[in-house]
Amino acid sequence: MIRFRLVGAMLLSFGLLAGCGGPDAPPLLADETVNLDTAYKLGPSDRLIVNIYRHEDLSGEVPIDGEGYVSLQLVGEIKAGNKTIRELEDDIATAYVEQGYLKSPTVAVQVLNFRPFFIEGEVNQPGSHPYTNGLTVQTAASLAGGFTYRANQSSFTLQRGGTKTEEYTVGPTTRVLPGDYITVHQRWF
């Protein structure tokens, strides 16, 4: 009888440790709700195509620099980092109107190349990897050479947009965005 109680107590404590992690554990989110922000936020190292309708001379490819700015003809630098594509389109149109170059421009912005995502921990090739549309944590691990034999393949830590953001505990089907930082932890047993 004592033996069964001891085993039960051990299983209960392991279950609580694995599921809870204590008061400082990152919040646990269901895979469907981890979208945090459904609209993609632009950031350094993204490469854009800016099209201004009927003004091909003002259109072209522009990178977002390390400070989060794009440099455009006539109007100069415009903040693009941490903005959605629609917000940047509006800001570009406003800049051309306010500086007196165009009356009512139609601006379209497309992302040509996304910044990479980062993965560390129990994968065979940790580091930065090129982002592709439709990426999940599971496919990100595959791009990183797959899991090591010690990897916990059901629970991961994700920092949306980089290492200086809030951590979330997510599952393998959670959507990955450019600039995300994924940590694959070791399993307990």
mmCIF file of all heavy atoms in Angstrom, residues 122-150:
data_model
loop_
_atom_site.group_PDB
_atom_site.id
_atom_site.type_symbol
_atom_site.label_atom_id
_atom_site.label_comp_id
_atom_site.label_asym_id
_atom_site.label_seq_id
_atom_site.Cartn_x
_atom_site.Cartn_y
_atom_site.Cartn_z
ATOM 1 N N GLU A 122 17.539 21.743 -28.930
ATOM 2 C CA GLU A 122 17.668 20.353 -29.333
ATOM 3 C C GLU A 122 17.262 20.104 -30.796
ATOM 4 O O GLU A 122 16.356 19.336 -31.089
ATOM 5 C CB GLU A 122 16.870 19.457 -28.389
ATOM 6 C CG GLU A 122 17.357 19.498 -26.956
ATOM 7 C CD GLU A 122 18.800 19.034 -26.803
ATOM 8 O OE1 GLU A 122 19.212 18.079 -27.497
ATOM 9 O OE2 GLU A 122 19.523 19.618 -25.986
ATOM 10 N N VAL A 123 17.968 20.795 -31.715
ATOM 11 C CA VAL A 123 17.856 20.530 -33.148
ATOM 12 C C VAL A 123 19.265 20.311 -33.682
ATOM 13 O O VAL A 123 20.240 20.735 -33.073
ATOM 14 C CB VAL A 123 17.153 21.687 -33.908
ATOM 15 C CG1 VAL A 123 15.688 21.759 -33.567
ATOM 16 C CG2 VAL A 123 17.841 23.010 -33.665
ATOM 17 N N ASN A 124 19.371 19.655 -34.813
ATOM 18 C CA ASN A 124 20.684 19.301 -35.350
ATOM 19 C C ASN A 124 21.439 20.471 -35.967
ATOM 20 O O ASN A 124 22.660 20.450 -36.018
ATOM 21 C CB ASN A 124 20.540 18.163 -36.361
ATOM 22 C CG ASN A 124 20.168 16.866 -35.682
ATOM 23 O OD1 ASN A 124 20.772 16.482 -34.689
ATOM 24 N ND2 ASN A 124 19.155 16.196 -36.189
ATOM 25 N N GLN A 125 20.734 21.494 -36.440
ATOM 26 C CA GLN A 125 21.390 22.660 -37.041
ATOM 27 C C GLN A 125 20.785 23.950 -36.495
ATOM 28 O O GLN A 125 20.022 24.628 -37.181
ATOM 29 C CB GLN A 125 21.252 22.613 -38.568
ATOM 30 C CG GLN A 125 21.921 21.421 -39.196
ATOM 31 C CD GLN A 125 21.544 21.271 -40.666
ATOM 32 O OE1 GLN A 125 20.749 22.012 -41.207
ATOM 33 N NE2 GLN A 125 22.126 20.275 -41.295
ATOM 34 N N PRO A 126 21.106 24.311 -35.244
ATOM 35 C CA PRO A 126 20.555 25.535 -34.676
ATOM 36 C C PRO A 126 21.095 26.763 -35.409
ATOM 37 O O PRO A 126 22.126 26.703 -36.067
ATOM 38 C CB PRO A 126 21.031 25.498 -33.218
ATOM 39 C CG PRO A 126 22.206 24.587 -33.213
ATOM 40 C CD PRO A 126 22.019 23.622 -34.340
ATOM 41 N N GLY A 127 20.376 27.868 -35.304
ATOM 42 C CA GLY A 127 20.807 29.115 -35.927
ATOM 43 C C GLY A 127 19.690 29.754 -36.716
ATOM 44 O O GLY A 127 18.515 29.448 -36.528
ATOM 45 N N SER A 128 20.066 30.644 -37.633
ATOM 46 C CA SER A 128 19.055 31.321 -38.449
ATOM 47 C C SER A 128 18.790 30.510 -39.713
ATOM 48 O O SER A 128 19.698 29.877 -40.259
ATOM 49 C CB SER A 128 19.508 32.732 -38.807
ATOM 50 O OG SER A 128 20.576 32.704 -39.711
ATOM 51 N N HIS A 129 17.532 30.536 -40.135
ATOM 52 C CA HIS A 129 17.115 29.799 -41.320
ATOM 53 C C HIS A 129 16.158 30.663 -42.124
ATOM 54 O O HIS A 129 15.398 31.456 -41.558
ATOM 55 C CB HIS A 129 16.438 28.479 -40.929
ATOM 56 C CG HIS A 129 17.365 27.532 -40.231
ATOM 57 N ND1 HIS A 129 18.204 26.685 -40.898
ATOM 58 C CD2 HIS A 129 17.613 27.334 -38.908
ATOM 59 C CE1 HIS A 129 18.915 25.991 -40.024
ATOM 60 N NE2 HIS A 129 18.575 26.375 -38.807
ATOM 61 N N PRO A 130 16.152 30.533 -43.452
ATOM 62 C CA PRO A 130 15.252 31.354 -44.270
ATOM 63 C C PRO A 130 13.788 31.030 -44.005
ATOM 64 O O PRO A 130 13.417 29.871 -43.845
ATOM 65 C CB PRO A 130 15.635 31.011 -45.706
ATOM 66 C CG PRO A 130 16.556 29.863 -45.648
ATOM 67 C CD PRO A 130 16.984 29.644 -44.244
ATOM 68 N N TYR A 131 12.986 32.075 -43.931
ATOM 69 C CA TYR A 131 11.559 31.924 -43.699
ATOM 70 C C TYR A 131 10.853 31.561 -45.001
ATOM 71 O O TYR A 131 11.192 32.074 -46.061
ATOM 72 C CB TYR A 131 10.974 33.222 -43.149
ATOM 73 C CG TYR A 131 9.473 33.170 -43.011
ATOM 74 C CD1 TYR A 131 8.892 32.556 -41.918
ATOM 75 C CD2 TYR A 131 8.642 33.702 -43.984
ATOM 76 C CE1 TYR A 131 7.522 32.473 -41.782
ATOM 77 C CE2 TYR A 131 7.269 33.631 -43.865
ATOM 78 C CZ TYR A 131 6.712 33.018 -42.769
ATOM 79 O OH TYR A 131 5.358 32.931 -42.657
ATOM 80 N N THR A 132 9.868 30.678 -44.900
ATOM 81 C CA THR A 132 8.985 30.376 -46.019
ATOM 82 C C THR A 132 7.545 30.441 -45.505
ATOM 83 O O THR A 132 7.282 30.161 -44.334
ATOM 84 C CB THR A 132 9.244 28.973 -46.613
ATOM 85 O OG1 THR A 132 9.116 28.004 -45.572
ATOM 86 C CG2 THR A 132 10.624 28.872 -47.229
ATOM 87 N N ASN A 133 6.619 30.802 -46.359
ATOM 88 C CA ASN A 133 5.221 30.909 -45.956
ATOM 89 C C ASN A 133 4.676 29.577 -45.462
ATOM 90 O O ASN A 133 5.046 28.521 -45.969
ATOM 91 C CB ASN A 133 4.362 31.406 -47.122
ATOM 92 C CG ASN A 133 4.505 32.892 -47.322
ATOM 93 O OD1 ASN A 133 4.634 33.645 -46.371
ATOM 94 N ND2 ASN A 133 4.477 33.319 -48.564
ATOM 95 N N GLY A 134 3.797 29.642 -44.483
ATOM 96 C CA GLY A 134 3.149 28.447 -43.961
ATOM 97 C C GLY A 134 3.986 27.669 -42.966
ATOM 98 O O GLY A 134 3.657 26.532 -42.635
ATOM 99 N N LEU A 135 5.053 28.247 -42.466
ATOM 100 C CA LEU A 135 5.957 27.563 -41.561
ATOM 101 C C LEU A 135 5.316 27.354 -40.191
ATOM 102 O O LEU A 135 4.681 28.252 -39.651
ATOM 103 C CB LEU A 135 7.223 28.412 -41.413
ATOM 104 C CG LEU A 135 8.512 27.751 -41.009
ATOM 105 C CD1 LEU A 135 8.928 26.695 -42.020
ATOM 106 C CD2 LEU A 135 9.609 28.791 -40.904
ATOM 107 N N THR A 136 5.475 26.149 -39.644
ATOM 108 C CA THR A 136 5.060 25.844 -38.270
ATOM 109 C C THR A 136 6.315 25.511 -37.471
ATOM 110 O O THR A 136 7.398 25.352 -38.046
ATOM 111 C CB THR A 136 4.095 24.639 -38.220
ATOM 112 O OG1 THR A 136 4.798 23.475 -38.671
ATOM 113 C CG2 THR A 136 2.841 24.885 -39.048
ATOM 114 N N VAL A 137 6.181 25.372 -36.165
ATOM 115 C CA VAL A 137 7.326 25.017 -35.334
ATOM 116 C C VAL A 137 7.897 23.665 -35.777
ATOM 117 O O VAL A 137 9.107 23.488 -35.869
ATOM 118 C CB VAL A 137 6.931 24.995 -33.839
ATOM 119 C CG1 VAL A 137 8.062 24.444 -32.989
ATOM 120 C CG2 VAL A 137 6.545 26.387 -33.372
ATOM 121 N N GLN A 138 7.020 22.717 -36.100
ATOM 122 C CA GLN A 138 7.451 21.386 -36.550
ATOM 123 C C GLN A 138 8.275 21.478 -37.843
ATOM 124 O O GLN A 138 9.344 20.880 -37.944
ATOM 125 C CB GLN A 138 6.229 20.491 -36.782
ATOM 126 C CG GLN A 138 6.550 19.095 -37.260
ATOM 127 C CD GLN A 138 7.004 18.197 -36.145
ATOM 128 O OE1 GLN A 138 6.494 18.277 -35.040
ATOM 129 N NE2 GLN A 138 7.958 17.334 -36.413
ATOM 130 N N THR A 139 7.793 22.232 -38.830
ATOM 131 C CA THR A 139 8.537 22.347 -40.088
ATOM 132 C C THR A 139 9.798 23.184 -39.912
ATOM 133 O O THR A 139 10.789 22.949 -40.605
ATOM 134 C CB THR A 139 7.652 22.919 -41.220
ATOM 135 O OG1 THR A 139 7.089 24.160 -40.803
ATOM 136 C CG2 THR A 139 6.554 21.950 -41.608
ATOM 137 N N ALA A 140 9.769 24.135 -38.977
ATOM 138 C CA ALA A 140 10.983 24.911 -38.682
ATOM 139 C C ALA A 140 12.075 23.998 -38.137
ATOM 140 O O ALA A 140 13.246 24.111 -38.519
ATOM 141 C CB ALA A 140 10.674 26.028 -37.693
ATOM 142 N N ALA A 141 11.690 23.069 -37.269
ATOM 143 C CA ALA A 141 12.655 22.107 -36.736
ATOM 144 C C ALA A 141 13.194 21.212 -37.849
ATOM 145 O O ALA A 141 14.378 20.868 -37.867
ATOM 146 C CB ALA A 141 12.017 21.274 -35.632
ATOM 147 N N SER A 142 12.348 20.855 -38.804
ATOM 148 C CA SER A 142 12.802 20.054 -39.950
ATOM 149 C C SER A 142 13.829 20.814 -40.775
ATOM 150 O O SER A 142 14.834 20.245 -41.208
ATOM 151 C CB SER A 142 11.619 19.673 -40.838
ATOM 152 O OG SER A 142 10.744 18.825 -40.142
ATOM 153 N N LEU A 143 13.582 22.113 -40.995
ATOM 154 C CA LEU A 143 14.550 22.934 -41.731
ATOM 155 C C LEU A 143 15.877 23.039 -40.976
ATOM 156 O O LEU A 143 16.922 23.263 -41.581
ATOM 157 C CB LEU A 143 13.992 24.337 -41.980
ATOM 158 C CG LEU A 143 12.879 24.445 -43.015
ATOM 159 C CD1 LEU A 143 12.325 25.862 -43.050
ATOM 160 C CD2 LEU A 143 13.380 24.046 -44.393
ATOM 161 N N ALA A 144 15.808 22.884 -39.663
ATOM 162 C CA ALA A 144 17.012 22.946 -38.832
ATOM 163 C C ALA A 144 17.639 21.570 -38.647
ATOM 164 O O ALA A 144 18.324 21.309 -37.658
ATOM 165 C CB ALA A 144 16.668 23.565 -37.477
ATOM 166 N N GLY A 145 17.392 20.663 -39.562
ATOM 167 C CA GLY A 145 18.016 19.346 -39.530
ATOM 168 C C GLY A 145 17.305 18.321 -38.678
ATOM 169 O O GLY A 145 17.823 17.235 -38.447
ATOM 170 N N GLY A 146 16.134 18.644 -38.156
ATOM 171 C CA GLY A 146 15.375 17.709 -37.339
ATOM 172 C C GLY A 146 15.738 17.798 -35.874
ATOM 173 O O GLY A 146 16.675 18.477 -35.472
ATOM 174 N N PHE A 147 14.964 17.093 -35.053
ATOM 175 C CA PHE A 147 15.174 17.074 -33.612
ATOM 176 C C PHE A 147 16.323 16.156 -33.245
ATOM 177 O O PHE A 147 16.573 15.154 -33.917
ATOM 178 C CB PHE A 147 13.916 16.566 -32.898
ATOM 179 C CG PHE A 147 12.722 17.464 -33.042
ATOM 180 C CD1 PHE A 147 11.633 17.066 -33.803
ATOM 181 C CD2 PHE A 147 12.683 18.699 -32.419
ATOM 182 C CE1 PHE A 147 10.524 17.873 -33.920
ATOM 183 C CE2 PHE A 147 11.578 19.517 -32.537
ATOM 184 C CZ PHE A 147 10.495 19.110 -33.291
ATOM 185 N N THR A 148 17.011 16.463 -32.145
ATOM 186 C CA THR A 148 17.974 15.524 -31.584
ATOM 187 C C THR A 148 17.186 14.455 -30.821
ATOM 188 O O THR A 148 15.990 14.613 -30.587
ATOM 189 C CB THR A 148 18.953 16.218 -30.612
ATOM 190 O OG1 THR A 148 18.233 16.672 -29.476
ATOM 191 C CG2 THR A 148 19.685 17.364 -31.287
ATOM 192 N N TYR A 149 17.844 13.397 -30.408
ATOM 193 C CA TYR A 149 17.144 12.324 -29.697
ATOM 194 C C TYR A 149 16.666 12.770 -28.319
ATOM 195 O O TYR A 149 15.791 12.157 -27.736
ATOM 196 C CB TYR A 149 18.019 11.073 -29.595
ATOM 197 C CG TYR A 149 19.197 11.221 -28.663
ATOM 198 C CD1 TYR A 149 19.105 10.839 -27.330
ATOM 199 C CD2 TYR A 149 20.408 11.739 -29.106
ATOM 200 C CE1 TYR A 149 20.180 10.973 -26.472
ATOM 201 C CE2 TYR A 149 21.483 11.880 -28.265
ATOM 202 C CZ TYR A 149 21.371 11.492 -26.946
ATOM 203 O OH TYR A 149 22.429 11.630 -26.105
ATOM 204 N N ARG A 150 17.203 13.873 -27.787
ATOM 205 C CA ARG A 150 16.817 14.359 -26.459
ATOM 206 C C ARG A 150 15.685 15.383 -26.498
ATOM 207 O O ARG A 150 15.227 15.852 -25.469
ATOM 208 C CB ARG A 150 18.022 15.020 -25.786
ATOM 209 C CG ARG A 150 19.159 14.097 -25.480
ATOM 210 C CD ARG A 150 20.287 14.846 -24.775
ATOM 211 N NE ARG A 150 20.761 15.992 -25.539
ATOM 212 C CZ ARG A 150 21.780 15.970 -26.384
ATOM 213 N NH1 ARG A 150 22.413 14.860 -26.600
ATOM 214 N NH2 ARG A 150 22.148 17.053 -27.012
#
